[in-house]
Amino acid sequence: MPVRPAMPTDLPRAIRFLTIASQDPDAILGSVLPQPLVSSALADWRKLLPGTIGMRGRLRLYLEEYRGRLCAVALVFSGRRPEWVILALAAVPDPGGAEGSFKLLSYISAAAAQRGQLRLYGAVADAAPSVPAAGAARARETFFQAGFYSYTRETWYAAPRAPLRAPAQKLDGHYARRRDAHDLFRFYAATTPHAVQRAEQLAVEDFDIGRRAGAFDPPFLVSGNPLAMRRESAMVVGGEPRLGAFGVSFRGLDNHPHVVKARSVDGDADLARDVVRATTLELPSGKPITSPVRSYEEHVARALLSEGFREIATAMLFVKELAVRIEEPAFAPAVVR
């Protein structure tokens, strides 16, 4: 069978395939990190081995080969929510790779559905100086053909190195606690387009810092490789009747950069800038700081640019729903005489 899960004997060539592909923009069809940082989305053989010998793990590796030739490889992450995330999808830059990646996405979708998963996420690089337009179009078309749809765009910004400056104003904030879950969810619902909420399907418990806090795992409020990120701080600003802002930072492990995410209400760029500063104060120095910003968060982009960040890449976020949605019943108004 040309499409299959990887076995232990496949690891050397699969890792070699992904490593070579990460240096070629035409070979990367999907990645949770932008093209300049693709290598940080990969994993070494020690993390991949458990999934290839049947042990329960958070990483899965799938291959597509034709007549002994490896055409496409996908690295998939299984989190705490009923969803899988495609960390990286690479294929040879020719028609065989395009066909192989489509077969691979279809196979992964079926495997995820059989395991009770509800959604499958992926990210595709948009056209940029480091990403040829033809390659970006080929990647988008492959995901569309496999049944995915795009729900927003995300632009990555990067600053030289941590730490940033201290906030310009004293923030009325505190580290997020379990009792903030409901307020955080209300903030998310009030500041996030309905199309994005429908794709992410987050609930109040996903914002509970004391439990799984699934909302803070990629690919939701913040993107990146979840295996190479550790949450450093999460803070909320304001209170009743609503929060004014929130921020969360992640410490990058190995060669993964630090990641920070901030959002404020009413397009307050100054508040967003101070939240970015406050949440990065405790990050270890010496690594670049990155921040993914959605298309509906323009004020955050302005705040980052004023802080010295620069734009490095843009991606389209994709999702495929694996379960049939049950429509809510529609009620006709009753006429009372």
Side-chain angles (χ1 to χ4, degrees), residues 14 159 196 213 262 268 326 336:
V196 178
D268 192 334
I326 300 177
V336 180

Side-chain angles (χ1 to χ4, degrees), residues 172-255:
D172 177 23
H174 60 269
Y175 288 111
R177 299 164 294 201
R178 295 195 63 178
R179 64 186 185 188
D180 293 315
H182 189 263
D183 288 337
L184 280 167
F185 176 74
R186 287 173 56 197
F187 181 94
Y188 165 80
T191 58
T192 305
H194 179 71
V196 178
Q197 294 184 49
R198 181 182 185 275
E200 295 180 329
Q201 293 292 308
L202 297 176
V204 174
E205 56 265 25
D206 293 309
F207 292 85
D208 188 341
I209 292 293
R211 301 180 67 186
R212 60 179 184 171
F216 298 104
D217 291 337
F220 305 110
L221 299 183
V222 63
S223 296
N225 180 357
L227 295 175
M229 299 164 59
R230 294 293 181 270
R231 191 168 66 233
E232 188 74 19
S233 64
M235 67 176 301
V236 296
V237 177
E240 293 296 336
R242 65 172 180 170
L243 297 181
F246 86 90
V248 59
S249 64
F250 291 81
R251 175 168 46 92
L253 306 179
D254 300 325
N255 61 342

Side-chain angles (χ1 to χ4, degrees), residues 63 112 132 191 223 281 293 312 336:
L63 314 174
T191 58
S223 296
L281 287 176
V293 178
I312 59 172
V336 180

Side-chain angles (χ1 to χ4, degrees), residues 80-281:
R80 288 168 288 201
R81 285 168 49 89
E83 297 136 350
W84 284 4
V85 182
I86 299 173
L87 297 184
L89 172 62
V92 291
D94 60 31
E99 182 180 357
S101 56
F102 169 75
K103 292 179 180 178
L104 202 52
L105 287 175
S106 300
Y107 183 92
I108 294 170
S109 299
Q114 290 173 359
R115 288 168 173 79
Q117 304 304 299
L118 303 181
R119 285 164 291 276
L120 180 62
Y121 291 96
V124 174
D126 213 347
S130 62
V131 182
R138 178 173 70 107
R140 291 195 300 269
E141 185 62 26
T142 300
F143 273 78
F144 283 131
Q145 288 180 348
F148 289 75
Y149 70 88
S150 176
Y151 60 94
T152 191
R153 271 186 168 84
E154 185 174 71
T155 300
W156 282 77
Y157 293 82
R161 294 187 182 276
L164 302 179
R165 291 175 290 177
Q169 58 181 316
K170 182 176 176 58
L171 296 175
D172 177 23
H174 60 269
Y175 288 111
R177 299 164 294 201
R178 295 195 63 178
R179 64 186 185 188
D180 293 315
H182 189 263
D183 288 337
L184 280 167
F185 176 74
R186 287 173 56 197
F187 181 94
Y188 165 80
T191 58
T192 305
H194 179 71
V196 178
Q197 294 184 49
R198 181 182 185 275
E200 295 180 329
Q201 293 292 308
L202 297 176
V204 174
E205 56 265 25
D206 293 309
F207 292 85
D208 188 341
I209 292 293
R211 301 180 67 186
R212 60 179 184 171
F216 298 104
D217 291 337
F220 305 110
L221 299 183
V222 63
S223 296
N225 180 357
L227 295 175
M229 299 164 59
R230 294 293 181 270
R231 191 168 66 233
E232 188 74 19
S233 64
M235 67 176 301
V236 296
V237 177
E240 293 296 336
R242 65 172 180 170
L243 297 181
F246 86 90
V248 59
S249 64
F250 291 81
R251 175 168 46 92
L253 306 179
D254 300 325
N255 61 342
H256 197 289
H258 299 319
V259 182
V260 61
K261 180 73 177 183
R263 193 187 295 179
S264 58
V265 297
D266 303 326
D268 192 334
D270 291 335
L271 180 56
R273 181 198 61 213
D274 282 336
V275 170
V276 168
R277 291 179 176 182
T279 52
T280 57
L281 287 176

